[in-house]
Amino acid sequence: MNNLFRDFPTAAVRAEEETFEDLLARPDVRIERIVSTGQASPPGFWYSQPQGEWVVVLQGAAGLLIEGEPVRELRPGDFINIPAYCRHRVEWTEANGPTVWLAVHYELAQDAPTA
Amino acid sequence: MNNLFRDFPTAAVRAEEETFEDLLARPDVRIERIVSTGQASPPGFWYSQPQGEWVVVLQGAAGLLIEGEPVRELRPGDFINIPAYCRHRVEWTEANGPTVWLAVHYELAQDAPTA
């Protein structure tokens, strides 16, 4: 796979589940393609990660909720930086056709065991 | 600016020069939007960077040359990882309308002065 908009995993093509694929995985950064097909975070579930995450929607649409803020509707090209430990969840993704996200995870070293 | 396809710098709108904007700058990663309007690398010029660079074309088109390989035509969604010190250059970018690149620079710490 060398194009973000092609070669979706079977589970994404069948709209069975959200798919996550690493495009680059290095000690300091991880770049991931996420394909959503109508999924949302489970009720009451919040992401809260020890890493920072910079994320952009490139196709489709999604509703992203940062705790304490209104839901943001993300359309193609819309990006946001989610700092480490910032609680957030996906309220909705477009039901008709895939939503393609590109996520850059950084500050990974905070996860590494200390020497 | 919170959308990759809007709010281009004036120099890009006027097609005067290639523009470079940091979207995120951290010790371990730098995310950059590049907008090209027909520019190419100067004749004989090669990029060769101490950092790794993962890059995707999101709008427009470009011809990327990795030394010793054929020119790769990059269209929206096409991505490539350029390892540190891999010599490369931009042979051409689309003359009609902007070409939007997203570049993720990593392994920045290799640049840091040693203690």
Side-chain angles (χ1 to χ4, degrees):
Chain A
M1 191 251 294
N2 58 9
N3 185 289
L4 298 176
F5 305 118
R6 291 202 294 264
D7 303 321
F8 295 145
T10 304
V13 173
R14 292 181 179 164
E16 291 168 347
E17 56 186 40
E18 202 159 49
T19 62
F20 301 83
E21 295 155 279
D22 279 354
L23 307 179
L24 184 81
R26 294 298 162 102
D28 54 352
V29 68
R30 186 166 62 85
I31 303 177
E32 182 181 51
R33 176 173 76 172
I34 305 167
V35 182
S36 312
T37 47
Q39 293 87 7
S41 303
F45 174 87
W46 293 91
Y47 290 101
S48 177
Q49 303 144 330
Q51 306 87 21
E53 179 178 359
W54 184 95
V55 68
V56 59
V57 166
L58 294 175
Q59 180 179 310
L64 181 74
L65 179 61
I66 304 283
E67 194 175 38
E69 300 187 3
V71 176
R72 295 163 193 249
E73 184 168 318
L74 301 181
R75 295 275 169 188
D78 288 338
F79 64 84
I80 183 173
N81 181 47
I82 304 172
Y85 298 112
C86 171
R87 280 161 61 92
H88 62 284
R89 48 178 280 116
V90 177
E91 287 289 306
W92 57 268
T93 57
E94 202 166 71
N96 301 318
T99 292
V100 178
W101 312 69
L102 184 73
V104 179
H105 304 273
Y106 59 93
E107 292 171 358
L108 304 186
Q110 294 188 0
D111 264 351
T114 51
Chain B
M1 193 250 295
N2 58 9
N3 185 289
L4 298 176
F5 305 119
R6 291 202 294 263
D7 302 321
F8 295 145
T10 304
V13 173
R14 293 182 180 166
E16 292 168 346
E17 57 185 40
E18 203 159 48
T19 61
F20 302 83
E21 295 156 279
D22 278 354
L23 307 178
L24 184 80
R26 294 299 162 101
D28 54 352
V29 68
R30 185 166 63 85
I31 303 176
E32 181 181 52
R33 177 174 75 173
I34 305 167
V35 182
S36 313
T37 47
Q39 294 86 7
S41 303
F45 175 86
W46 294 91
Y47 290 101
S48 176
Q49 303 144 329
Q51 307 87 19
E53 179 177 359
W54 184 95
V55 68
V56 60
V57 165
L58 294 174
Q59 181 179 309
L64 181 74
L65 179 60
I66 305 284
E67 194 175 36
E69 300 186 3
V71 175
R72 294 163 192 248
E73 183 167 318
L74 301 180
R75 296 274 169 189
D78 288 337
F79 64 83
I80 184 172
N81 181 47
I82 304 172
Y85 298 112
C86 171
R87 281 160 60 92
H88 63 284
R89 49 180 278 116
V90 177
E91 288 288 306
W92 56 268
T93 57
E94 202 166 71
N96 302 317
T99 291
V100 178
W101 312 70
L102 185 72
V104 180
H105 304 272
Y106 59 94
E107 292 170 357
L108 304 186
Q110 294 189 0
D111 264 351
T114 53

